[in-house]
Amino acid sequence: MKLAYIIPIHIESELLKTRALASLAKQRVQPDLVVIVGKTGQLTAVPENYKLIESDETAYCSLVNTAVNTLNSEYPDIDWISILEYDDELTESSTAVFKRYQESDDSVDMWAGIAFIVGEDDQEKDVIVGSGNEAIWAPGISEEPGVFDYNMLIRANYVYLNGTFIRKSTFIEIGMLKTKMKTFFDYEFALRLVYQGKICRGIPKVTHLHFSSFARPTYISQIANLSQDERTFWIMTAKKEYFYESDAKRTLEYTKKG
Amino acid sequence: MAVSKDELQQVYDNLENSNYNIYFICPDFEKPSGGVGLIYDHVRVLNQNGFKAFVLHEKEGFKPSWLEHRLKMGDQDVPVRYLKSGALELSAEDFIFIPEGFPHVMQDLRKQGTPCKLVVFCQNWYYVLNALPPGVLWNNLQIDECLSVSNSQSVYLKTIMPFLKIKNVVGSVDPTIFYPPTSIEKKQPYVAYVPSRDGGVKSMNVIKTFYALFPAMRWIQFKPLVDLDFATYSETIRNAAFYCHFDEFSSWGTAPIEAFMSKTLVAGWDGVGGREYMKPIRHDTTDGNMWLAINGDIQHLVQVLVTMIETWLSDSVPDYVYTNMDIAAQNYTLEAEKDSVLMAHNEYREERMKEIQEMINSLPTEEKVEN
């Protein structure tokens, strides 16, 4: 069982080194491969098990899909992937915990560790302001605690894809990430996984720290800045899209009514 | 009541031949009670090892059905007698063990001139003074012997009643009922707990404080261990990553040991009695087995509870914690309980025989002595 972390990066940023890469270096169990895809020119020296893929692409989904295609052709022995944003951190035990849980149940296609959302701005600095992927452990969400199922995804339309561990073959089989989804693509991906009968379980451990800032563009600030109508549009689109096994060739756009 | 030398000799002979009865007065509780279960366990152990022991309930026919399998002794029922039936015949060689919260029974038995040995069976130090009027101790009821279920509790008892002669027994937790899951990865992030003795008010206060101070943990569920059959109770503890102990007034505390044996991490109060085995986890030692809070302190308990949860979520629980949990639990095996119970009752028998022999020796033939 071999794991690759994929780090999509679309801008030059010191956070890549001070957060993502620094946290990788501290892993109790090292991953088998790290793939950095996007603006890799900012890196000078990297460890041997790092693969750099230079790309001018800026969209998250496109970068991740590019990395997986490369893994599929050049690293066939890698069978698990996990996405780490350049400005996020793994907990020290992340890789070790994943390997332990995967070994306990090989039938699972996606494991989702808990993400702590850490504040960056002002009074929230370094404070845990929220969590991701924790809802599956709360009562009344999933039919069975710790399981991503359709009921859970209808009740909690937010899945934290970063920090999940996905079987590479499953990721490819169900059509990878939908590049046409500007946002809520992680939710759409989870719906597609569950719809196609893939087994998705939670790991009740914190594997990921996501740094939340409204002062700089992050995924959370992006969602927070959506209007309610726009948010509803993307959620409803995600719910329709997941029926498709591969990326449908049509444009998806939100247009303001009236 | 005066007895003759011959009658005393008969008492002695009956004791020597194990021809006497041991009664445990037991309250008629309709709802689960650890203390009632322990009485049934002791009666079972004694009968299985050559003694004649009985549970003594009040109402004719009463049966604590919630005890399930603990009502049985192999294919038979644990022997029970009833006070109300009036059929109870007590002899000088018999023993009656009276719960600590029943001084009215102690007084009644003395007034009736009961000839047998009276011993308090103390399962919870907290109820001792609760049940006694101010200024009255057990020696005022002519009782100076006590069977206690923990050393910590015995220290307390000896402090307030220095005249007491105390024997200790240990409790047990059945490893065929309480054991860890097949894989530690099956643990789920919820907190199992037994509600506090005040009807759950204080434990709910702690839970609400937890959610108020740590809203990011609002997804952590607290599961009360109430109204559950044994199988569901043990399974709930087994699957829980955490157990929180809310007992401020405890003789030793069975549930934390049940959690230890299930490899469920424990945070909580020691209740005084729990000092027997609870060792706090600290930075400067490696003998800790649980996250201990100041007894009765709500906010401190919330803080240690969160520390425990965060330590587990970050996969940072030191291995020695689980090792120390196992070590603590090893003191409460069925074998340890049996040995302690048999030792205590053998000693009671021998001491009573010695007492009777001294009474015999003090008498010339044909004289009687007041019992």
Side-chain angles (χ1 to χ4, degrees), chain A residues 28 93 97 100-101 104 114 116 128 130-131 134 137-139 145 204-206, chain B residues 183-189 216-219 221 223 310 312-316:
Chain A
R28 286 183 210 159
S93 59
V97 158
R100 221 168 61 223
Y101 274 79
S104 75
I114 292 169
F116 271 170
I128 297 170
S131 321
E134 87 291 2
W137 299 105
K205 301 281 183 182
V206 178
Chain B
S183 153
I184 208 73
E185 282 71 39
K186 292 198 185 308
K187 289 283 188 187
Q188 294 177 27
M217 294 233 186
R218 61 187 176 276
W219 54 278
Q221 186 187 4
K223 285 194 186 182
E310 286 182 342
W312 187 82
L313 285 175
S314 65
D315 204 47
S316 303

Side-chain angles (χ1 to χ4, degrees), chain B residues 82-298:
Chain B
Y82 302 97
L83 280 167
K84 284 272 185 234
S85 69
L88 200 65
E89 285 185 16
L90 297 170
S91 304
E93 58 268 26
D94 295 336
F95 289 77
I96 299 184
F97 288 82
I98 309 163
E100 74 282 350
F102 287 27
H104 58 289
V105 172
M106 298 174 203
Q107 192 168 38
D108 286 346
L109 286 170
R110 279 293 177 230
K111 275 186 184 168
Q112 291 164 17
T114 304
C116 46
K117 188 73 171 176
L118 302 183
V119 179
V120 178
F121 184 27
C122 185
Q123 293 203 54
N124 195 316
W125 60 272
Y126 184 61
Y127 297 128
V128 170
L129 292 181
N130 280 1
L132 289 169
V136 175
L137 299 174
W138 290 336
N139 59 339
N140 300 118
L141 304 171
Q142 291 92 54
I143 292 180
D144 62 357
E145 298 209 45
C146 174
L147 184 64
S148 170
V149 297
S150 76
N151 283 323
S152 307
Q153 176 176 261
S154 299
V155 168
Y156 165 83
L157 291 170
K158 197 73 175 171
T159 303
I160 59 166
M161 289 192 256
F163 56 83
L164 270 181
K165 287 172 276 185
I166 304 175
K167 293 192 198 306
N168 289 316
V169 288
V170 297
S172 71
V173 173
D174 192 337
T176 65
I177 298 173
F178 296 97
Y179 49 87
T182 50
S183 153
I184 208 73
E185 282 71 39
K186 292 198 185 308
K187 289 283 188 187
Q188 294 177 27
Y190 63 81
V191 182
Y193 74 99
V194 175
S196 48
R197 289 179 189 267
D198 58 358
V201 172
K202 197 156 186 180
S203 45
M204 189 49 65
N205 195 306
V206 173
I207 294 169
K208 289 178 183 176
T209 305
F210 173 90
Y211 288 133
L213 294 180
F214 298 96
M217 294 233 186
R218 61 187 176 276
W219 54 278
I220 297 275
Q221 186 187 4
F222 285 78
K223 285 194 186 182
L225 297 165
V226 291
D227 297 329
L228 302 175
D229 56 53
F230 265 113
T232 309
Y233 176 97
S234 64
E235 190 183 12
T236 306
I237 291 184
R238 182 175 313 115
N239 291 335
F242 318 110
Y243 171 78
C244 192
H245 194 52
F246 290 111
D247 200 352
E248 288 178 82
F249 316 109
S250 154
S251 56
W252 65 289
T254 322
I257 296 290
E258 292 166 351
F260 283 1
M261 290 169 70
S262 307
K263 291 220 183 306
T264 300
L265 298 177
V266 176
W269 297 322
D270 61 29
V272 178
R275 291 167 200 173
E276 187 98 333
Y277 61 85
M278 291 178 181
K279 292 189 190 303
I281 293 168
R282 297 203 307 242
H283 296 298
D284 56 347
T285 63
T286 56
D287 63 351
N289 56 28
M290 62 166 293
W291 283 262
L292 189 64
I294 298 166
N295 202 33
D297 189 320
I298 290 174

